[in-house]
Amino acid sequence: MQTVAKARQYFGLHLQESIEMTAVPQALGISQDCLNVSFEQVRGMTPAQALLEQRLNGLFAALTDQPRQGLRRAIQACGLDGTAGVVALFEQTFGIDMPLFLLTCRRAADDRLFRLDHPEPEALVLPT
């Protein structure tokens, strides 16, 4: 578990960068086989799959936190720029269409801003 935790920490520190999988075990001071076996036993996936999952989760968080930053910018910030079919992978992983996800995130951000400017409970009631 420690190996996987350290590798995930390494992924997080280098999320925006292109990570060569051969560099990960070198950085952790272990063998490639040790890294592969650790991920298979703990996560049931390869290190590369775990990195992709972490990056997709980062994209989800980035778009949720700042939905108006632009999809391309968010993809680049999560190190997914060179990954083919990022939007399709996102939609498959999270089960939501990207346009709908962005719309929902933008509306939620607008609601949060409105609530900051209008903290009184009456502001949430629509006049009839």
Side-chain angles (χ1 to χ4, degrees), residues 75-105:
I75 287 172
Q76 290 171 340
C78 295
L80 290 165
D81 200 29
T83 306
V86 173
V87 172
L89 285 170
F90 183 94
E91 292 174 343
Q92 180 182 4
T93 300
F94 297 109
I96 187 168
D97 291 332
M98 183 61 80
L100 179 58
F101 179 74
L102 289 172
L103 176 65
T104 303
C105 290

Side-chain angles (χ1 to χ4, degrees), residues 60-68 102-119 124:
F60 185 98
L63 292 172
T64 301
D65 291 343
Q66 298 176 5
R68 297 201 190 307
L102 289 172
L103 176 65
T104 303
C105 290
R106 287 177 183 141
R107 285 184 175 170
D110 291 345
D111 289 347
R112 288 190 297 272
L113 284 175
F114 180 84
R115 189 73 175 131
L116 284 174
D117 292 338
H118 304 87
L124 298 177

Side-chain angles (χ1 to χ4, degrees), residues 35-36 38-51 53:
L35 183 68
N36 292 341
S38 295
F39 268 93
E40 183 58 40
Q41 289 179 343
V42 174
R43 302 284 315 273
M45 59 180 58
T46 68
Q49 290 169 322
L51 174 60
E53 178 183 83

Side-chain angles (χ1 to χ4, degrees), residues 7-57:
R8 293 198 61 200
Q9 183 179 23
Y10 178 88
F11 293 162
L13 292 172
H14 303 279
L15 202 60
Q16 292 180 328
E17 303 167 20
S18 174
I19 298 175
E20 291 293 328
M21 279 305 167
T22 55
V24 178
Q26 291 173 352
L28 301 178
I30 59 174
S31 70
Q32 184 71 48
D33 288 339
C34 178
L35 183 68
N36 292 341
V37 168
S38 295
F39 268 93
E40 183 58 40
Q41 289 179 343
V42 174
R43 302 284 315 273
M45 59 180 58
T46 68
Q49 290 169 322
L51 174 60
L52 179 60
E53 178 183 83
Q54 190 163 342
R55 286 181 165 166
L56 287 170
N57 286 333

